[in-house]
Amino acid sequence: MAAALEVKDLEVVYQGVIQALTSLSLTVQEGAIVTLLGANGAGKTTTLKAISGFLPLENGRVTRGSITIGGQDLLRLAPHQIVRRGIFQVREGRHVFSEMTVEENLVAATFAQRKPRSRKEAFDEVYNYFPILSQRRGQAAGYLSGGEQQMLAIGRALVADPEMILLDEPSLGLAPLIVKEIFEIIARINREKGVSMLLVEQNAVIALKYASYGYVIESGRTVLEGTTEKLSADQDIQKFYLGVD
Ligand code: ATP
């Protein structure tokens, strides 16, 4: 259990003034699926961006706290070094290259490959998890359905052979059946490859079902944490996130 990701007392400021995180802490144990719940603007995406090293691209800065994996300080690393360290973010809204084919999108992810393996081996693994992408491999990604684009975005992460995938709202805008299909595959990747997942989701029902541990954040702070079993039984969670009266 060496490579736990630990975020401690993180404070993030955008443009020198907007305090997006005030004191955010979380741990993702190796091989776990952990979810981050919170209202719009609570700081979920900011947390993922801080871990991936993307904040400077948006004039954001970590002003206090730490992010480490297996004890290594991630705050000292550039985004490409964080990818090489095995942490790959699948951004909200999928961000596939829409004019490029499915396979070209996978080729574009090979820059991040961590272990020497042939493209064929890497792509076969993606097509094994997402057979529909194999059928669509010659099609422009922009013509894929929303669910297929989400699969491609996760497929690109797989090409990199990550230790951990940061997933930002994978269910956004997708029909319930497709969401279930994608989450079943996420769970398989977790189980079969031991890839840990940090999952940001508006869909708390699905997040609490697939994750084993969760954190609730409000105004940039961690306010509640526990096993998803415990969180699912919490009255506030039921009221605010699960719509139970
Ligand atoms: P959502 O579910 O709406 O994406 P979130 O929990 O992911 O919400 P963040 O996107 O992390 O929340 O935003 C946290 C706070 O930081 C918000 O007040 C938001 O307005 C602010 N913020 C986010 N990105 C930027 C940015 N690039 N520049 C300035 N402020 C930002």
Side-chain angles (χ1 to χ4, degrees):
M1 294 301 243
L5 173 82
E6 300 220 38
V7 177
K8 279 199 192 135
D9 296 327
L10 202 67
E11 181 182 78
V12 168
V13 176
Y14 287 109
Q15 292 154 21
V17 284
I18 303 164
Q19 208 175 24
L21 300 184
T22 49
S23 179
L24 192 125
S25 298
L26 64 86
T27 301
V28 182
Q29 296 293 353
E30 192 183 2
I33 302 182
V34 172
T35 188
L36 260 189
L37 301 175
N40 283 343
K44 305 179 297 294
T45 299
T46 297
T47 304
L48 298 191
K49 284 178 184 161
I51 297 167
S52 304
F54 292 162
L55 286 177
L57 305 173
E58 297 189 24
N59 205 1
R61 207 158 66 83
V62 172
T63 41
R64 196 163 48 83
S66 62
I67 307 178
T68 58
I69 186 158
Q72 185 184 5
D73 183 2
L74 287 190
L75 289 177
R76 291 172 172 276
L77 303 183
H80 71 278
Q81 293 171 312
I82 293 170
V83 167
R84 289 240 176 265
R85 184 59 192 77
I87 301 177
F88 200 104
Q89 181 167 346
V90 176
R91 290 161 65 200
E92 183 180 332
R94 306 182 264 276
H95 294 280
V96 295
F97 299 113
S98 52
E99 318 245 301
M100 286 161 57
T101 66
V102 166
E103 191 133 308
E104 285 165 352
N105 267 273
L106 296 181
V107 170
T110 55
F111 84 92
Q113 254 180 325
R114 297 185 332 123
K115 70 175 181 201
R117 57 176 179 169
S118 69
R119 282 184 182 178
K120 181 176 182 321
E121 197 184 328
F123 297 176
D124 281 352
E125 180 178 68
V126 175
Y127 295 145
N128 168 43
Y129 283 111
F130 302 106
I132 189 76
L133 294 182
S134 172
Q135 292 170 34
R136 303 257 191 274
R137 66 175 81 188
Q139 272 181 26
Y143 290 114
L144 299 178
S145 69
E148 290 162 357
Q149 289 188 15
Q150 184 65 63
M151 292 176 189
L152 179 56
I154 298 170
R156 289 195 314 190
L158 277 181
V159 169
D161 191 35
E163 269 179 41
M164 177 178 296
I165 301 179
L166 312 177
L167 288 160
D168 200 353
E169 306 260 7
S171 78
L172 198 70
L174 303 181
L177 266 180
I178 308 290
V179 171
K180 181 160 189 289
E181 188 184 337
I182 289 175
F183 269 86
E184 287 296 326
I185 298 169
I186 289 171
R188 252 186 77 204
I189 293 170
N190 168 258
R191 218 173 36 241
E192 294 172 0
K193 290 180 60 68
V195 178
S196 5
M197 310 273 176
L198 179 56
L199 168 67
V200 163
E201 254 306 335
Q202 290 282 345
N203 185 338
V205 174
I206 202 111
L208 290 171
K209 177 169 173 210
Y210 285 92
S212 58
Y213 202 86
Y215 294 85
V216 179
I217 64 176
E218 267 173 34
S219 309
R221 300 177 51 238
T222 314
V223 293
L224 186 63
E225 66 172 277
T227 61
T228 45
E229 199 179 351
K230 180 186 140 194
L231 293 178
S232 302
D234 183 280
Q235 282 194 343
D236 284 343
I237 300 270
Q238 292 191 349
K239 191 165 156 199
F240 295 115
Y241 293 97
L242 301 174
V244 179
D245 285 331

Short mmCIF file of all heavy atoms in Angstrom, two decimals, residues 135-172:
data_model
loop_
_atom_site.label_atom_id
_atom_site.label_comp_id
_atom_site.label_asym_id
_atom_site.label_seq_id
_atom_site.Cartn_x
_atom_site.Cartn_y
_atom_site.Cartn_z
N GLN A 135 -15.11 -0.80 -33.20
CA GLN A 135 -15.96 -0.67 -34.39
C GLN A 135 -15.90 0.73 -34.99
O GLN A 135 -16.10 0.92 -36.17
CB GLN A 135 -17.42 -0.98 -34.03
CG GLN A 135 -17.67 -2.43 -33.68
CD GLN A 135 -19.08 -2.60 -33.10
OE1 GLN A 135 -20.01 -1.92 -33.50
NE2 GLN A 135 -19.22 -3.52 -32.17
N ARG A 136 -15.67 1.69 -34.13
CA ARG A 136 -15.69 3.09 -34.57
C ARG A 136 -14.28 3.65 -34.82
O ARG A 136 -14.11 4.86 -34.94
CB ARG A 136 -16.34 3.96 -33.49
CG ARG A 136 -17.72 3.58 -33.08
CD ARG A 136 -18.75 4.51 -33.69
NE ARG A 136 -20.05 4.33 -33.13
CZ ARG A 136 -20.94 3.43 -33.56
NH1 ARG A 136 -20.63 2.62 -34.55
NH2 ARG A 136 -22.12 3.35 -32.99
N ARG A 137 -13.28 2.80 -34.84
CA ARG A 137 -11.90 3.31 -34.78
C ARG A 137 -11.53 4.27 -35.91
O ARG A 137 -10.68 5.13 -35.73
CB ARG A 137 -10.89 2.17 -34.69
CG ARG A 137 -10.81 1.28 -35.92
CD ARG A 137 -9.68 0.27 -35.77
NE ARG A 137 -10.10 -0.89 -34.96
CZ ARG A 137 -9.26 -1.84 -34.56
NH1 ARG A 137 -7.99 -1.76 -34.85
NH2 ARG A 137 -9.71 -2.86 -33.87
N GLY A 138 -12.20 4.14 -37.06
CA GLY A 138 -11.87 5.02 -38.19
C GLY A 138 -12.75 6.25 -38.28
O GLY A 138 -12.58 7.08 -39.19
N GLN A 139 -13.68 6.39 -37.34
CA GLN A 139 -14.61 7.53 -37.40
C GLN A 139 -14.09 8.75 -36.65
O GLN A 139 -13.39 8.60 -35.64
CB GLN A 139 -15.94 7.14 -36.74
CG GLN A 139 -16.92 6.50 -37.69
CD GLN A 139 -18.23 6.18 -36.97
OE1 GLN A 139 -18.58 6.82 -35.99
NE2 GLN A 139 -18.91 5.18 -37.47
N ALA A 140 -14.47 9.92 -37.13
CA ALA A 140 -14.09 11.14 -36.41
C ALA A 140 -14.77 11.14 -35.04
O ALA A 140 -15.96 10.83 -34.92
CB ALA A 140 -14.52 12.36 -37.20
N ALA A 141 -13.99 11.47 -34.02
CA ALA A 141 -14.51 11.40 -32.65
C ALA A 141 -15.71 12.33 -32.44
O ALA A 141 -16.59 12.05 -31.63
CB ALA A 141 -13.40 11.74 -31.66
N GLY A 142 -15.75 13.41 -33.20
CA GLY A 142 -16.85 14.37 -33.07
C GLY A 142 -18.20 13.77 -33.44
O GLY A 142 -19.25 14.29 -33.04
N TYR A 143 -18.18 12.69 -34.20
CA TYR A 143 -19.44 12.05 -34.60
C TYR A 143 -19.87 10.94 -33.64
O TYR A 143 -20.90 10.30 -33.84
CB TYR A 143 -19.34 11.49 -36.03
CG TYR A 143 -19.27 12.59 -37.06
CD1 TYR A 143 -18.13 12.80 -37.82
CD2 TYR A 143 -20.37 13.45 -37.25
CE1 TYR A 143 -18.07 13.82 -38.75
CE2 TYR A 143 -20.31 14.48 -38.17
CZ TYR A 143 -19.16 14.66 -38.93
OH TYR A 143 -19.10 15.68 -39.83
N LEU A 144 -19.08 10.68 -32.62
CA LEU A 144 -19.47 9.66 -31.64
C LEU A 144 -20.59 10.20 -30.76
O LEU A 144 -20.73 11.41 -30.59
CB LEU A 144 -18.29 9.30 -30.73
CG LEU A 144 -17.04 8.72 -31.37
CD1 LEU A 144 -15.99 8.48 -30.29
CD2 LEU A 144 -17.34 7.42 -32.10
N SER A 145 -21.36 9.29 -30.18
CA SER A 145 -22.37 9.72 -29.20
C SER A 145 -21.64 10.21 -27.94
O SER A 145 -20.43 9.95 -27.76
CB SER A 145 -23.26 8.53 -28.82
OG SER A 145 -22.51 7.60 -28.08
N GLY A 146 -22.37 10.89 -27.06
CA GLY A 146 -21.76 11.39 -25.83
C GLY A 146 -21.14 10.27 -25.00
O GLY A 146 -20.04 10.41 -24.46
N GLY A 147 -21.84 9.15 -24.92
CA GLY A 147 -21.33 8.01 -24.16
C GLY A 147 -20.04 7.46 -24.77
O GLY A 147 -19.09 7.13 -24.06
N GLU A 148 -20.02 7.38 -26.10
CA GLU A 148 -18.82 6.86 -26.77
C GLU A 148 -17.64 7.83 -26.60
O GLU A 148 -16.49 7.40 -26.45
CB GLU A 148 -19.11 6.63 -28.26
CG GLU A 148 -20.06 5.45 -28.48
CD GLU A 148 -20.72 5.45 -29.85
OE1 GLU A 148 -20.51 6.40 -30.64
OE2 GLU A 148 -21.49 4.51 -30.13
N GLN A 149 -17.94 9.12 -26.60
CA GLN A 149 -16.86 10.09 -26.37
C GLN A 149 -16.29 9.95 -24.95
O GLN A 149 -15.09 10.06 -24.73
CB GLN A 149 -17.36 11.52 -26.58
CG GLN A 149 -17.62 11.81 -28.05
CD GLN A 149 -17.92 13.28 -28.33
OE1 GLN A 149 -17.70 14.14 -27.49
NE2 GLN A 149 -18.44 13.54 -29.51
N GLN A 150 -17.19 9.69 -23.99
CA GLN A 150 -16.70 9.47 -22.62
C GLN A 150 -15.84 8.22 -22.56
O GLN A 150 -14.81 8.19 -21.89
CB GLN A 150 -17.89 9.36 -21.66
CG GLN A 150 -17.49 9.23 -20.20
CD GLN A 150 -16.79 10.46 -19.68
OE1 GLN A 150 -17.34 11.55 -19.62
NE2 GLN A 150 -15.52 10.31 -19.30
N MET A 151 -16.27 7.19 -23.29
CA MET A 151 -15.46 5.95 -23.33
C MET A 151 -14.08 6.24 -23.94
O MET A 151 -13.06 5.75 -23.45
CB MET A 151 -16.18 4.89 -24.17
CG MET A 151 -17.45 4.38 -23.53
SD MET A 151 -18.30 3.22 -24.63
CE MET A 151 -19.84 3.01 -23.76
N LEU A 152 -14.07 7.04 -25.00
CA LEU A 152 -12.80 7.37 -25.64
C LEU A 152 -11.90 8.16 -24.68
O LEU A 152 -10.69 7.93 -24.61
CB LEU A 152 -13.07 8.16 -26.93
CG LEU A 152 -11.83 8.60 -27.73
CD1 LEU A 152 -10.94 7.41 -28.09
CD2 LEU A 152 -12.26 9.34 -29.01
N ALA A 153 -12.51 9.07 -23.94
CA ALA A 153 -11.73 9.87 -22.98
C ALA A 153 -11.10 8.95 -21.92
O ALA A 153 -9.94 9.13 -21.54
CB ALA A 153 -12.61 10.92 -22.33
N ILE A 154 -11.84 7.96 -21.47
CA ILE A 154 -11.30 7.01 -20.49
C ILE A 154 -10.27 6.10 -21.18
O ILE A 154 -9.24 5.75 -20.62
CB ILE A 154 -12.42 6.19 -19.83
CG1 ILE A 154 -13.36 7.13 -19.06
CG2 ILE A 154 -11.84 5.13 -18.87
CD1 ILE A 154 -14.64 6.48 -18.56
N GLY A 155 -10.56 5.75 -22.44
CA GLY A 155 -9.63 4.92 -23.22
C GLY A 155 -8.27 5.59 -23.35
O GLY A 155 -7.22 4.93 -23.24
N ARG A 156 -8.28 6.89 -23.55
CA ARG A 156 -7.00 7.61 -23.67
C ARG A 156 -6.22 7.54 -22.36
O ARG A 156 -5.00 7.44 -22.36
CB ARG A 156 -7.24 9.06 -24.06
CG ARG A 156 -7.71 9.18 -25.49
CD ARG A 156 -7.61 10.58 -25.99
NE ARG A 156 -8.13 11.54 -25.04
CZ ARG A 156 -8.32 12.82 -25.32
NH1 ARG A 156 -8.01 13.28 -26.50
NH2 ARG A 156 -8.80 13.63 -24.42
N ALA A 157 -6.95 7.58 -21.25
CA ALA A 157 -6.27 7.43 -19.96
C ALA A 157 -5.62 6.05 -19.87
O ALA A 157 -4.49 5.90 -19.41
CB ALA A 157 -7.26 7.63 -18.81
N LEU A 158 -6.33 5.04 -20.37
CA LEU A 158 -5.81 3.66 -20.29
C LEU A 158 -4.52 3.50 -21.09
O LEU A 158 -3.63 2.74 -20.69
CB LEU A 158 -6.84 2.68 -20.83
CG LEU A 158 -7.94 2.22 -19.89
CD1 LEU A 158 -8.84 1.23 -20.61
CD2 LEU A 158 -7.33 1.57 -18.65
N VAL A 159 -4.44 4.20 -22.23
CA VAL A 159 -3.22 4.12 -23.05
C VAL A 159 -2.00 4.52 -22.22
O VAL A 159 -0.92 3.96 -22.36
CB VAL A 159 -3.36 5.02 -24.31
CG1 VAL A 159 -2.02 5.16 -25.03
CG2 VAL A 159 -4.42 4.45 -25.25
N ALA A 160 -2.22 5.47 -21.32
CA ALA A 160 -1.11 5.95 -20.49
C ALA A 160 -0.73 4.95 -19.40
O ALA A 160 0.28 5.12 -18.73
CB ALA A 160 -1.50 7.29 -19.85
N ASP A 161 -1.55 3.93 -19.21
CA ASP A 161 -1.30 2.92 -18.17
C ASP A 161 -1.17 3.56 -16.78
O ASP A 161 -0.15 3.42 -16.11
CB ASP A 161 -0.04 2.13 -18.52
CG ASP A 161 0.09 0.92 -17.62
OD1 ASP A 161 -0.94 0.34 -17.26
OD2 ASP A 161 1.23 0.59 -17.24
N PRO A 162 -2.23 4.25 -16.35
CA PRO A 162 -2.13 5.03 -15.11
C PRO A 162 -2.27 4.18 -13.85
O PRO A 162 -2.79 3.07 -13.89
CB PRO A 162 -3.33 5.97 -15.21
CG PRO A 162 -4.33 5.19 -15.98
CD PRO A 162 -3.57 4.33 -16.95
N GLU A 163 -1.79 4.76 -12.74
CA GLU A 163 -2.05 4.17 -11.42
C GLU A 163 -3.37 4.69 -10.89
O GLU A 163 -4.05 4.05 -10.10
CB GLU A 163 -0.97 4.63 -10.43
CG GLU A 163 0.22 3.74 -10.35
CD GLU A 163 1.22 4.29 -9.36
OE1 GLU A 163 0.84 4.77 -8.27
OE2 GLU A 163 2.42 4.23 -9.68
N MET A 164 -3.68 5.93 -11.30
CA MET A 164 -4.88 6.58 -10.78
C MET A 164 -5.52 7.43 -11.87
O MET A 164 -4.83 8.13 -12.61
CB MET A 164 -4.50 7.49 -9.61
CG MET A 164 -5.67 8.27 -9.05
SD MET A 164 -5.19 9.28 -7.64
CE MET A 164 -4.71 8.03 -6.49
N ILE A 165 -6.86 7.34 -11.98
CA ILE A 165 -7.57 8.20 -12.92
C ILE A 165 -8.45 9.15 -12.12
O ILE A 165 -9.16 8.74 -11.20
CB ILE A 165 -8.44 7.37 -13.90
CG1 ILE A 165 -7.57 6.38 -14.70
CG2 ILE A 165 -9.18 8.30 -14.88
CD1 ILE A 165 -8.34 5.50 -15.67
N LEU A 166 -8.37 10.44 -12.47
CA LEU A 166 -9.23 11.45 -11.86
C LEU A 166 -10.38 11.67 -12.84
O LEU A 166 -10.15 12.09 -13.98
CB LEU A 166 -8.47 12.76 -11.65
CG LEU A 166 -7.09 12.65 -10.99
CD1 LEU A 166 -6.42 14.03 -10.94
CD2 LEU A 166 -7.21 12.07 -9.59
N LEU A 167 -11.59 11.37 -12.42
CA LEU A 167 -12.74 11.43 -13.33
C LEU A 167 -13.63 12.60 -12.93
O LEU A 167 -14.16 12.64 -11.82
CB LEU A 167 -13.55 10.15 -13.21
CG LEU A 167 -12.94 8.89 -13.81
CD1 LEU A 167 -13.58 7.65 -13.20
CD2 LEU A 167 -13.12 8.88 -15.32
N ASP A 168 -13.80 13.55 -13.85
CA ASP A 168 -14.63 14.72 -13.55
C ASP A 168 -15.99 14.57 -14.24
O ASP A 168 -16.08 14.73 -15.45
CB ASP A 168 -13.92 16.00 -14.02
CG ASP A 168 -14.48 17.23 -13.33
OD1 ASP A 168 -15.49 17.11 -12.60
OD2 ASP A 168 -13.92 18.32 -13.52
N GLU A 169 -16.98 14.25 -13.47
CA GLU A 169 -18.38 14.14 -13.95
C GLU A 169 -18.54 13.23 -15.17
O GLU A 169 -19.08 13.68 -16.20
CB GLU A 169 -18.90 15.54 -14.32
CG GLU A 169 -18.75 16.55 -13.23
CD GLU A 169 -20.05 16.79 -12.47
OE1 GLU A 169 -21.01 16.06 -12.72
OE2 GLU A 169 -20.06 17.68 -11.61
N PRO A 170 -18.14 11.99 -15.07
CA PRO A 170 -18.28 11.13 -16.26
C PRO A 170 -19.72 10.91 -16.70
O PRO A 170 -19.96 10.58 -17.85
CB PRO A 170 -17.63 9.80 -15.82
CG PRO A 170 -17.54 9.86 -14.35
CD PRO A 170 -17.46 11.30 -13.96
N SER A 171 -20.69 11.11 -15.80
CA SER A 171 -22.09 10.84 -16.18
C SER A 171 -22.77 12.04 -16.83
O SER A 171 -23.90 11.92 -17.31
CB SER A 171 -22.90 10.41 -14.95
OG SER A 171 -23.24 11.54 -14.18
N LEU A 172 -22.07 13.16 -16.88
CA LEU A 172 -22.71 14.42 -17.32
C LEU A 172 -23.37 14.30 -18.70
O LEU A 172 -22.73 13.97 -19.69
CB LEU A 172 -21.66 15.53 -17.36
CG LEU A 172 -22.19 16.95 -17.38
CD1 LEU A 172 -22.79 17.31 -16.03
CD2 LEU A 172 -21.08 17.93 -17.74
#
